[in-house]
């Protein structure tokens, strides 16, 4: 069976690069499942959960906002944050979320507000992935 | 003929210099390691971004983004990425030589790093803005530079934007490079491979027709500014890695030179001392023979 090469890179590192059977992505227009032989597509991802299915097992990752390029045999995700669900530190993410929420109450310039909102989205995505997969 | 005391004094002062350059070498080498890791870590992202844009840019049909608009070039902005401090070998002079090649009247310089700004004001050229960046460059710093030149371009004040920076190839080799930033036409590779290949070449274009979701305008409209911001960020990382590498090598050479001079001077000093002893002995024996 054909496989997809899933690549997830952030400015700091290449987080994930493996052949998988199927990928689920959080796109700006809703969740999207991608199988091999998909039509070439460019779109934006929003922060949330990426699920990669490989040999019957699901691997979960939390990602931030970014772009994704889909071709017949490859899914390349460029994002500002990506972390595997096993590597998520729930306490830290929770703390980051609280900090961001407090910051949002203050009066911020547009630039600051954007970065705080992004930070908040990051921590929410991490918490979401972590909590869901524990159940 | 210098006296033994003069030579001793010189040896001492050169020893002090060697100590300082050695310390600077140590500092630079620890900073270098960090900067190199940062520069290398950013490359997969940059490469992927390049690949994707190269593939996409040719397949957007008649869609055109203001940042891709090709105009006759009347004025150019040059983003000059230099270091803040000297003592890093020929790094800055190589960069400034490239910078000097641009036409004096139609070029406006945007400097990152103090050395570049000093150069521009020294040769009385047109300085558009001066930015600073930290030892470990922040994305926000790159974004500020990128926004500024994008604004210049979109307002029609300049018709093209070039970047001069040092491409980090390895610890011993850093190459000054001039890269076209705007308008975005040909998407070029950001980084050089270990052998120095891959930088600057136009990446492949595929004939695959892409779908866009929601549409090409929205995706590219978000992607192009982000691409530029990231490109500038990567340039800053490369420049920092180059700076620390160059400084470490320069300081290592200085230390080695100082050690060599100390060795030569010590030899001279010993010779002189020996000559003096021999002379004294000779005087004593001659005196004895005359008495006897």
């Amino acid at each position: 069976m054909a496989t997809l090469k899933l690549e997830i890179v952030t400015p700091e590192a290449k987080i994930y690069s493996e052949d998988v059977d199927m990928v689920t992505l959080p796109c700006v227009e809703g969740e999207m499942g991608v199988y091999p032989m998909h039509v070439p597509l460019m779109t934006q991802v929003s922060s949330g959960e990426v699920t990669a299915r490989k040999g019957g097992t699901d691997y979960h990752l939390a990602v931030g906002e970014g772009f994704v390029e889909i071709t017949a045999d490859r899914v390349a995700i460029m994002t500002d944050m990506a972390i595997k669900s096993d590597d998520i530190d729930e306490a830290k993410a929770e703390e980051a979320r609280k900090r961001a929420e407090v910051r949002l109450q203050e009066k911020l310039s547009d630039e600051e507000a954007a970065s705080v909102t992004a930070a908040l989205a990051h921590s929410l995505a991490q918490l979401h992935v972590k909590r869901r997969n524990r159940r | 003929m210098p006296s033994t005391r003069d030579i001793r004094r010189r040896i001492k002062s050169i020893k002090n210099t060697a100590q300082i350059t050695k310390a600077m070498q140590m500092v630079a080498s620890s900073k270098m390691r960090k900067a190199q890791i940062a520069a290398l870590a950013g490359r997969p992202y940059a490469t992927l971004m390049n690949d994707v844009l190269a593939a996409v840019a040719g397949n957007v049909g008649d869609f055109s983004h203001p940042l891709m608009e090709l105009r006759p070039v009347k004025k150019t902005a040059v983003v000059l990425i230099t270091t803040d401090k000297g003592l890093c070998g020929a790094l800055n002079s190589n960069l400034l030589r490239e910078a000097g090649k641009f036409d004096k009247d139609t070029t406006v310089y945007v400097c990152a790093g103090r050395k570049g700004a000093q150069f521009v004001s020294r040769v009385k050229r047109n300085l558009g803005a001066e930015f600073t960046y930290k030892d470990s460059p922040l994305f926000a710093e790159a974004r500020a530079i990128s926004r500024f030149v994008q604004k210049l371009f979109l307002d029609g004040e300049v018709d093209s934007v070039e970047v001069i920076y040092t491409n980090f190839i390895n610890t011993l080799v850093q190459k000054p490079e001039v890269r076209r930033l705007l308008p975005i036409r040909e998407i070029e590779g950001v980084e050089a491979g270990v052998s120095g290949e891959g930088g600057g070449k136009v990446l492949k274009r595929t004939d695959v027709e892409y779908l866009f979701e929601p549409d090409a305008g929205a995706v590219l409209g978000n992607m192009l500014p982000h691409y530029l911001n990231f490109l500038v960020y990567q340039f800053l990382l490369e420049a920092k890695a180059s700076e620390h590498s160059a400084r470490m090598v320069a300081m290592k050479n200085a230390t080695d030179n100082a050690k060599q001079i100390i060795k030569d001077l010590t030899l001279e000093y010993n010779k002189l001392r020996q000559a003096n002893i021999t002379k004294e002995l000779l005087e004593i024996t001659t005196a004895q023979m005359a008495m006897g």
Side-chain angles (χ1 to χ4, degrees):
Chain A
M1 199 181 124
T3 54
L4 272 172
K5 180 145 179 82
L6 174 63
E7 285 186 28
I8 303 179
V9 290
T10 66
E12 286 88 33
K14 197 169 208 162
I15 304 290
Y16 194 90
S17 174
E18 265 173 68
D19 288 322
V20 299
D21 300 325
M22 184 216 170
V23 187
T24 315
L25 305 165
C27 289
V28 278
E29 303 214 311
E31 192 128 306
M32 185 165 73
V34 181
Y35 281 96
M37 305 306 288
H38 197 282
V39 69
L41 178 75
M42 274 294 307
T43 185
Q44 287 171 266
V45 286
S46 46
S47 61
E49 178 182 21
V50 167
T51 310
R53 181 167 298 162
K54 189 178 168 191
T57 327
D58 281 354
Y59 298 89
H60 302 275
L61 295 102
V63 296
E65 281 179 20
F67 303 95
V68 58
E69 182 209 23
I70 299 167
T71 56
D73 55 358
R74 189 170 89 131
V75 174
I77 305 177
M78 288 155 279
T79 170
D80 48 3
M81 190 261 317
I83 181 163
K84 289 179 189 157
S85 80
D86 296 342
D87 300 340
I88 297 173
D89 183 340
E90 192 177 337
K92 234 184 221 169
E94 181 66 42
E95 197 185 304
R97 180 180 71 92
K98 289 209 180 100
R99 219 173 26 234
E101 276 173 351
V102 171
R103 282 273 281 157
L104 273 184
Q105 304 299 318
E106 299 165 17
K107 210 170 164 56
L108 298 170
S109 67
D110 286 354
E111 185 119 315
E112 284 172 330
S115 79
V116 174
T117 316
L120 181 61
H122 287 177
S123 49
L124 281 177
Q126 290 186 19
L127 287 171
H128 173 74
V129 170
K130 192 73 183 173
R131 290 188 178 149
R132 220 174 71 142
N133 293 317
R134 204 169 36 207
R135 260 182 270 127
Chain B
M1 184 89 181
S3 71
T4 47
R5 194 140 56 105
D6 290 338
I7 298 183
R8 248 199 333 257
R9 208 176 283 149
R10 274 193 69 194
I11 292 180
K12 213 170 147 193
S13 98
I14 289 170
K15 253 187 195 150
N16 284 339
T17 313
Q19 231 161 35
I20 292 169
T21 55
K22 180 84 185 170
M24 288 175 82
Q25 180 197 332
M26 294 303 193
V27 173
S29 86
S30 85
K31 280 186 182 168
M32 176 188 82
R33 209 160 309 130
K34 246 182 273 165
Q36 283 186 1
I37 290 170
L40 295 179
R43 281 181 181 177
Y45 190 85
T47 318
L48 188 61
M49 198 92 176
N50 270 318
D51 283 348
V52 169
L53 267 180
V56 166
N59 298 303
V60 288
D62 51 5
F63 169 77
S64 178
H65 193 273
L67 288 172
M68 296 167 83
E69 189 188 346
L70 208 54
R71 296 189 292 247
V73 177
K74 288 202 244 17
K75 282 204 109 182
T76 309
V78 173
V79 180
L80 185 55
I81 303 176
T82 54
T83 67
D84 277 341
K85 295 183 195 115
L87 292 180
C88 46
L91 191 83
N92 282 322
S93 38
N94 286 342
L95 280 170
L96 298 179
R97 188 169 335 112
E98 293 294 332
K101 285 179 190 164
F102 286 90
D103 190 79
K104 199 172 171 169
D105 301 321
T106 61
T107 310
V108 52
Y109 289 87
V110 177
C111 295
R114 257 206 309 273
K115 286 279 164 188
Q118 282 166 4
F119 163 80
V120 172
S121 49
R122 191 170 64 237
V123 296
K124 299 201 169 49
R125 296 201 179 201
N126 198 350
L127 180 63
E130 184 187 347
F131 291 93
T132 53
Y133 60 109
K134 292 208 189 78
D135 238 1
S136 46
L138 299 176
F139 194 72
E141 289 161 340
R143 196 167 47 205
I145 300 172
S146 160
R147 287 243 176 97
F148 181 80
V149 290
Q150 279 178 46
K151 191 166 179 301
L152 283 184
F153 182 80
L154 291 177
D155 291 351
E157 285 181 36
V158 298
D159 307 300
S160 80
V161 177
E162 311 269 350
V163 179
I164 305 178
Y165 75 110
T166 344
N167 196 353
F168 173 76
I169 295 169
N170 59 38
T171 307
L172 293 175
V173 186
Q174 298 91 30
K175 215 167 105 214
E177 250 164 55
V178 185
R179 216 42 99 55
R180 164 73 52 95
L181 196 64
L182 285 169
I184 303 175
R185 295 306 293 183
E186 309 278 88
I187 309 290
E188 294 178 337
V190 197
E191 96 286 12
V194 186
S195 55
E197 283 165 30
K201 77 165 189 260
V202 178
L203 290 169
K204 62 169 187 336
R205 282 198 173 173
T206 49
D207 294 326
V208 189
E209 192 76 33
Y210 279 84
L211 288 180
F212 288 91
E213 216 180 76
D215 58 85
V219 174
L220 283 180
N222 276 319
M223 196 164 180
L224 293 179
H226 180 73
Y227 168 74
L228 292 174
N229 294 346
F230 182 76
L231 211 56
V232 174
Y233 179 60
Q234 185 67 22
F235 287 150
L236 291 184
L237 290 181
E238 300 273 338
K240 265 296 164 205
S242 304
E243 176 190 343
H244 289 308
S245 309
R247 178 162 302 131
M248 196 204 77
V249 172
M251 287 301 113
K252 187 171 178 345
N253 287 341
T255 313
D256 290 350
N257 278 341
K259 283 201 178 131
Q260 186 59 45
I261 293 176
I262 290 173
K263 216 172 132 197
D264 293 347
L265 281 177
T266 313
L267 184 69
E268 200 181 318
Y269 170 73
N270 282 339
K271 272 187 187 159
L272 197 66
R273 192 173 53 96
Q274 199 61 54
N276 279 345
I277 293 170
T278 318
K279 206 167 79 193
E280 274 168 32
L281 274 177
L282 253 160
E283 271 163 17
I284 294 169
T285 30
T286 344
Q288 240 174 10
M289 276 164 78
M291 304 259 278

